[in-house]
Amino acid sequence: MVLLPALCYSQDYFVKSRATYYGSPDCLGTPSGACGFGEYGRTVNDANVAGVSKLFKNGTGCGACYQVRCTNPQICTDNGVNIVVTDYGEGDNTDFILSPRAYLRMARTDSAAHLFAYGVVDVEYQRIPCQYGGYKLQVKVNEHSKYPNYLAIVLLYQAGKNEILSVDIWQEDCKEWIAMRRAYGVVFDMANPPYGAISLRFQVRGSTGLRWVQAPNVIPSEWNAGVAYETDIQLY
C-alpha cells in the first residue's frame, strides 16, 4: 500500500460559489467591518474588498486575498477581481459580498449594468497571495486603547497566503510570553499590558506550515491610540 501525502494547506484551485454586493454611496469598503480594520478596510487594495461567510473563520480569515470571477463569459472578464477580506456577511447562499467597486471589476466594459441587474451571480474563487508593494506588516494601536491600562491592536498589510492565528506579548518580569485575547476579527487586546516597549510574536499559518514570528520592541513605551507601527516582518 502506498500512502499519499496530505494535501497542502494552500488552496491552488477554483471553488464554485456565488457572490453579491453591498450598498455603498462611494463604492468603497466599510469602516465598521467585522474584521476591525476601520478606515483601512475602506480603501485597502483600491477598495476591492469583500465580506465573507464561511471564509471568515472566526476572524482568522480577515486579511486573506482571493481571486473571484463571475462564470458568465458574456458579461464577465476572464480574470475577475482580486479582493481582500475585510468583513463578515451572509447573503443569498453567497460566500462573497463584494464592495460595489470590486463587483464592477468582474464585468466587461459594456456589461456593468447587466451584472448589477443580476444582483447575485455564480462565481468561482481561489486563494491568492496578498501583495502590498513597499509595506511590511503593521501593528496599529486600536482607537479604543487607553494608555497605559488597556491595549488593543489591529494587524495591517498581512502579505502572502497567511493566517495569523494568535498573538503573544512578552512579559519581561515573568520572562514568558502571554497570549493576547482575540477580541474580534484581527483585533487582539490585553488589560494592563507590560510597561516599556512592547514585543510581540505572531503564530502564523501559511504555505510553509505553522510558525512563530517575533517583532521585538515593535510598540514604543509611550504608545498612542490610533497610531500604526511598522514591523520588520514581511509575510510571504
Side-chain angles (χ1 to χ4, degrees), residues 139-153 169 190-198 218-229:
V139 178
K140 179 183 177 182
V141 177
N142 185 272
E143 286 81 0
H144 293 107
S145 299
K146 302 293 183 183
Y147 180 85
N149 299 316
Y150 173 71
L151 174 65
I153 62 170
I169 194 166
M190 173 179 281
N192 301 313
Y195 289 102
I198 291 176
V218 64
I219 300 177
S221 56
E222 296 185 3
W223 44 265
N224 293 292
V227 177
Y229 300 98

Side-chain angles (χ1 to χ4, degrees), residues 78-92:
D78 294 335
N79 293 327
V81 62
N82 296 341
I83 61 94
V84 178
V85 173
T86 58
D87 201 357
Y88 174 86
E90 295 182 0
D92 182 11

Side-chain angles (χ1 to χ4, degrees), residues 3-217:
L3 297 179
L4 296 176
L7 291 177
C8 178
Y9 157 76
S10 297
Q11 176 189 307
D12 294 314
Y13 53 90
F14 281 95
V15 177
K16 294 187 181 302
S17 185
R18 283 154 58 88
T20 185
Y21 65 95
Y22 57 81
S24 171
D26 55 11
C27 295
L28 306 181
T30 171
S32 57
C35 289
F37 285 131
E39 286 297 316
Y40 169 91
R42 292 187 71 246
T43 58
V44 65
N45 193 39
D46 196 27
N48 292 304
V49 298
V52 295
S53 52
K54 66 184 180 184
L55 298 174
F56 188 72
K57 302 177 185 178
N58 295 318
T60 61
C62 291
C65 294
Y66 293 89
Q67 179 186 3
V68 183
R69 61 190 188 190
C70 155
T71 56
N72 185 334
Q74 294 181 343
I75 62 173
C76 296
T77 65
D78 294 335
N79 293 327
V81 62
N82 296 341
I83 61 94
V84 178
V85 173
T86 58
D87 201 357
Y88 174 86
E90 295 182 0
D92 182 11
N93 294 317
T94 60
D95 279 317
F96 295 90
I97 303 179
L98 302 170
S99 68
R101 178 172 295 190
Y103 196 77
L104 174 64
R105 292 281 171 87
M106 292 194 298
R108 295 187 180 277
T109 304
D110 58 349
S111 300
H114 295 288
L115 182 63
F116 277 102
Y118 276 99
V120 178
V121 291
D122 293 325
V123 298
E124 54 186 15
Y125 69 89
Q126 68 171 346
R127 181 78 182 270
I128 59 173
C130 295
Q131 298 180 355
Y132 301 108
Y135 286 98
K136 297 180 180 179
L137 183 70
Q138 291 185 7
V139 178
K140 179 183 177 182
V141 177
N142 185 272
E143 286 81 0
H144 293 107
S145 299
K146 302 293 183 183
Y147 180 85
N149 299 316
Y150 173 71
L151 174 65
I153 62 170
V154 185
L155 306 178
L156 310 179
Y157 300 110
Q158 176 183 316
K161 286 187 180 180
N162 298 284
E163 294 174 350
I164 296 178
L165 304 183
S166 61
V167 180
D168 290 357
I169 194 166
W170 178 250
Q171 199 87 26
E172 178 63 27
D173 54 351
C174 301
K175 294 294 189 288
E176 64 178 344
W177 292 100
I178 306 295
M180 299 187 76
R181 179 181 71 117
R182 184 188 287 272
Y184 62 95
V186 291
V187 180
F188 295 84
D189 68 356
M190 173 179 281
N192 301 313
Y195 289 102
I198 291 176
S199 297
L200 301 172
R201 71 172 183 176
F202 312 99
Q203 188 180 45
V204 180
R205 180 173 60 195
S207 57
T208 59
L210 201 64
R211 59 194 169 112
W212 285 98
V213 179
Q214 294 189 19
N217 301 323

